[in-house]
Amino acid sequence: MEEAFTAYLLGSTGLVALVVDRITWATRPQASALPAIVLHKISGAPEYADEGEVGLLSARIQVDCWGATYAAAKAVAREVMARLSAAGAAFNEGNFEFQASFNEDEQDSFERGAGGEDLYRSRLDFIIWYKET
């Protein structure tokens, strides 16, 4: 699912104009170029009915949008929001059918990098419903 989700994000020309291909899972390489996106799968589980798994899964995906300025981080976050929040209808990517995507939370923060540089983050949390095809 992770590769398909990344590919779907990279299908947005507006997002690619900002981050190029700088979308990673779990960590951002130290001192790597900004803006960038780091994705985290916070939770996920299959859905069940009386007869067991129904083939539908849900995942909470945290999308950290990083920038050297607050404006840069927010620009990336707005593009992610446009790509995912508008995905109320199903979309296919690779071997996955994404049923729906819902924004659950948004939070902004600031930190100082190891080299003293400013790092701004806009964090978005999405609930993603999907199935493997």
Side-chain angles (χ1 to χ4, degrees):
M1 184 281 273
E2 290 80 359
E3 294 84 358
F5 190 76
T6 301
Y8 181 72
L9 288 176
L10 289 171
S12 165
T13 56
L15 192 56
V16 169
L18 296 172
V19 302
V20 188
D21 64 350
R22 294 184 298 269
I23 299 177
T24 58
W25 284 86
T27 186
R28 185 177 71 83
Q30 189 171 355
S32 61
L34 295 173
I37 294 173
V38 179
L39 303 169
H40 307 272
K41 186 173 182 180
I42 302 302
S43 63
E47 289 298 307
Y48 294 92
D50 290 339
E51 58 277 345
E53 290 186 32
V54 297
L56 187 63
L57 299 108
S58 68
R60 182 179 198 100
I61 304 295
Q62 178 178 312
V63 182
D64 290 337
C65 304
W66 292 95
T69 66
Y70 181 72
K74 291 306 287 185
V76 173
R78 288 183 188 107
E79 288 294 331
V80 169
M81 186 72 80
R83 184 71 168 159
L84 293 177
S85 191
F91 60 92
N92 293 307
E93 190 66 53
N95 293 332
F96 293 88
E97 181 181 317
F98 292 87
Q99 299 284 317
S101 171
F102 303 101
N103 179 247
E104 290 284 313
D105 192 30
E106 183 174 355
Q107 186 177 52
D108 297 332
S109 62
F110 167 83
E111 61 187 68
R112 190 81 56 200
E117 68 277 12
D118 292 345
L119 298 171
Y120 294 85
R121 176 177 68 163
S122 185
R123 189 198 83 212
L124 306 169
D125 284 1
F126 286 90
I127 302 298
I128 311 292
W129 291 91
Y130 66 98
K131 66 180 179 179
E132 193 165 359
T133 56

